[in-house]
Amino acid sequence: MSIPRTHSRSGSRANELSHSMKSKSQSNKTTFDCAGTSFTVDSHYQFIKQIGHGAYGVVVSALDKRTNTKVAIKKIPKAFEDLIDAKRILREIKLLNYLDHENIISILDVQKPPARTGYEDIYIITDLMETDLHRVIYSMQELSDEHIQYFMYQMLRGLLYMHSGGVIHRDLKPSNLLLNKNCDLKICDLGLARGYDNERDDNLTEYVVTRWYRAPEVILNASHYTKALDVWSVGCVFAELLGRSPLFPGEDYLDQVQRIIAVLGIPSQEDMAFIGNESAKRFIKGLPKRQRVPWSTLYAKANPIALDLLNKMLVFNPNKRFTVEECLSHPYFEGLHNSEEEPTAPVQFDWSFDDFTPTKPLLQSMVYEESLKYHPL
């Protein structure tokens, strides 16, 4: 991996096993089979190979013959069986339409369904990236301080755009940070994202952020979140880059809290003021007294300036945690930070669409409407 001077928006998936494929064209559509899944997409997409298989469906790489660029096509079969999941997919489509930034994955196309309602599958076409940060961290790839600095800068740069538009990601972790050979990084998976200016009673106690990357306020409070929770998650990713292992691999909620306190020490009365749950406060007060572990003890070979930034991000009290803007201005990013090249969102994201009770026909109709942005009638 090399550190480029400029961002590159192209990429290809390398070293993946190819899968057998059958292809046939029908009018303006082409159909191919991959790993037991049948894809039917616009005929200008030419199948290359399978690149992933997640909880929501199969992802393949394809060539867009109109532009001669490689793209990723995700098929979400039976997308409307679970209405909560379907609403998350709709939310992600709307957010990716809005978040126009080179460090956030771009949605290039939503295939137009055959009708406004009654269909089952969703096809989303995005930028093609080669791998994700989780795979890189746990590979044999050497990671220099320059690599880590560049990855962190891009994460924060993309997050600045999100936060400025009124969006909290809420699920930042290494596998949601995509990379290519040029070390370009793009944030993905925004299905759990929410706004922070006009929080409604939106079932905020639902699953938010893979446990190891959850901020203390999410574990202990879970009633009101701020942008600070994303900074904590990025701080956890930062530590994982430095140590090539997760910092707080909790086995459950209580273990997660204990692991955090084992490193940061028992919080002061003042720093627990944000916790609304009295039983959570009693639990913490009942833990054995722990002194803070210096970051230099955990990461003896790390750049001291990097550890100073880490110390500003992994702060128990969210009100004292660095903001994304403060992180970007930190000396660790000297030579990269330039406020003129760190765009913010021109307008706030409109969350009003999200305030509805999902039904299958309504969600199908809303996804259909999104597809019309790419396939006008």
Side-chain angles (χ1 to χ4, degrees):
M1 299 180 87
S2 60
I3 303 291
R5 292 182 178 273
T6 58
H7 292 279
S8 167
R9 296 183 64 86
S10 64
S12 62
R13 303 266 182 173
N15 301 320
E16 296 281 357
L17 291 174
S18 296
H19 287 254
S20 62
M21 181 273 284
K22 296 181 292 182
S23 180
K24 61 179 180 178
S25 294
Q26 48 187 41
S27 64
N28 63 338
K29 297 287 184 181
T30 186
T31 298
F32 55 83
D33 294 333
C34 175
T37 300
S38 178
F39 282 66
T40 299
V41 294
D42 291 344
S43 57
H44 55 79
Y45 293 118
Q46 181 180 323
F47 172 87
I48 299 175
K49 60 187 174 184
Q50 180 183 355
I51 55 175
H53 193 291
Y56 283 150
V58 177
V59 185
V60 302
S61 61
L63 177 69
D64 185 342
K65 293 184 284 188
R66 300 170 304 175
T67 58
N68 200 36
T69 56
K70 293 177 181 178
V71 300
I73 303 177
K74 175 163 67 173
K75 177 182 180 179
I76 307 160
K78 299 180 180 177
F80 304 97
E81 279 193 346
D82 185 310
L83 298 183
I84 300 301
D85 283 347
K87 190 173 180 181
R88 285 178 182 165
I89 295 162
L90 172 68
R91 186 183 296 131
E92 180 163 38
I93 291 171
K94 282 185 170 286
L95 280 165
L96 292 180
N97 274 326
Y98 160 78
L99 294 166
D100 182 15
H101 190 279
E102 61 188 343
N103 295 127
I104 301 170
I105 200 78
S106 294
I107 192 163
L108 306 174
D109 187 6
V110 177
Q111 290 288 273
K112 184 181 172 184
R116 181 172 289 275
T117 60
Y119 62 95
E120 300 297 332
D121 305 330
I122 299 174
Y123 294 90
I124 299 172
I125 292 84
T126 63
D127 297 322
L128 179 64
M129 303 293 282
E130 290 175 275
T131 188
D132 61 57
L133 195 58
H134 176 84
R135 292 183 188 178
V136 170
I137 289 173
Y138 297 99
S139 72
M140 300 301 291
Q141 167 70 46
E142 181 184 351
L143 289 179
S144 66
D145 183 58
E146 191 180 19
H147 280 110
I148 296 170
Q149 180 195 51
Y150 190 54
F151 293 152
M152 289 298 300
Y153 176 70
Q154 292 180 90
M155 276 181 242
L156 291 164
R157 191 172 176 267
L159 203 53
L160 174 69
Y161 192 89
M162 275 188 210
H163 285 182
S164 68
V167 177
I168 311 174
H169 187 286
R170 302 204 312 167
D171 196 22
L172 288 164
K173 55 188 176 182
S175 60
N176 284 346
L177 300 163
L178 304 181
L179 295 168
N180 65 18
K181 277 184 181 175
N182 288 334
C183 294
D184 293 329
L185 179 147
K186 294 180 189 287
I187 300 168
C188 71
D189 283 4
L190 279 91
L192 290 174
R194 290 292 190 281
Y196 58 82
D197 282 337
N198 57 341
E199 289 284 15
R200 298 174 301 279
D201 180 15
D202 194 18
N203 194 20
L204 285 178
T205 55
E206 68 173 295
Y207 173 88
V208 179
V209 187
T210 304
R211 184 188 307 117
W212 297 354
Y213 308 92
R214 286 179 190 167
E217 62 269 26
V218 177
I219 302 170
L220 299 169
N221 213 29
S223 61
H224 180 72
Y225 306 144
T226 69
K227 295 178 284 186
L229 77 84
D230 281 342
V231 175
W232 176 277
S233 299
V234 174
C236 291
V237 174
F238 194 6
E240 200 162 339
L241 281 163
L242 293 170
R244 307 297 283 257
S245 65
L247 176 58
F248 302 125
E251 296 179 6
D252 53 46
Y253 276 105
L254 298 182
D255 185 46
Q256 190 69 27
V257 175
Q258 290 173 305
R259 286 175 181 269
I260 291 169
I261 288 173
V263 173
L264 299 187
I266 289 284
S268 68
Q269 195 74 21
E270 177 191 352
D271 286 339
M272 286 197 290
F274 72 89
I275 303 172
N277 187 326
E278 288 302 320
S279 62
K281 285 184 181 178
R282 285 195 299 272
F283 171 75
I284 293 173
K285 289 175 182 175
L287 291 174
K289 299 302 178 191
R290 303 295 292 265
Q291 296 298 314
R292 184 183 189 88
V293 179
W295 293 116
S296 57
T297 300
L298 294 173
Y299 306 113
K301 296 180 180 179
N303 180 343
I305 304 174
L307 296 183
D308 183 76
L309 174 59
L310 183 66
N311 192 51
K312 304 293 198 301
M313 300 177 79
L314 292 180
V315 175
F316 190 87
N317 185 342
N319 301 317
K320 295 183 178 180
R321 207 172 294 151
F322 256 28
T323 64
V324 171
E325 292 87 344
E326 288 173 318
C327 290
L328 285 167
S329 298
H330 189 274
Y332 186 56
F333 298 117
E334 185 178 357
L336 283 176
H337 171 54
N338 180 348
S339 57
E340 294 182 1
E341 294 183 5
E342 293 159 7
T344 54
V347 295
Q348 294 282 294
F349 183 69
D350 183 3
W351 284 98
S352 61
F353 84 91
D354 205 52
D355 192 13
F356 70 94
T357 301
T359 65
K360 187 171 181 177
L362 178 57
L363 284 164
Q364 288 172 329
S365 179
M366 292 176 81
V367 170
Y368 182 85
E369 283 295 323
E370 290 302 308
S371 77
L372 295 182
K373 295 175 182 176
Y374 303 92
H375 304 269
L377 292 172

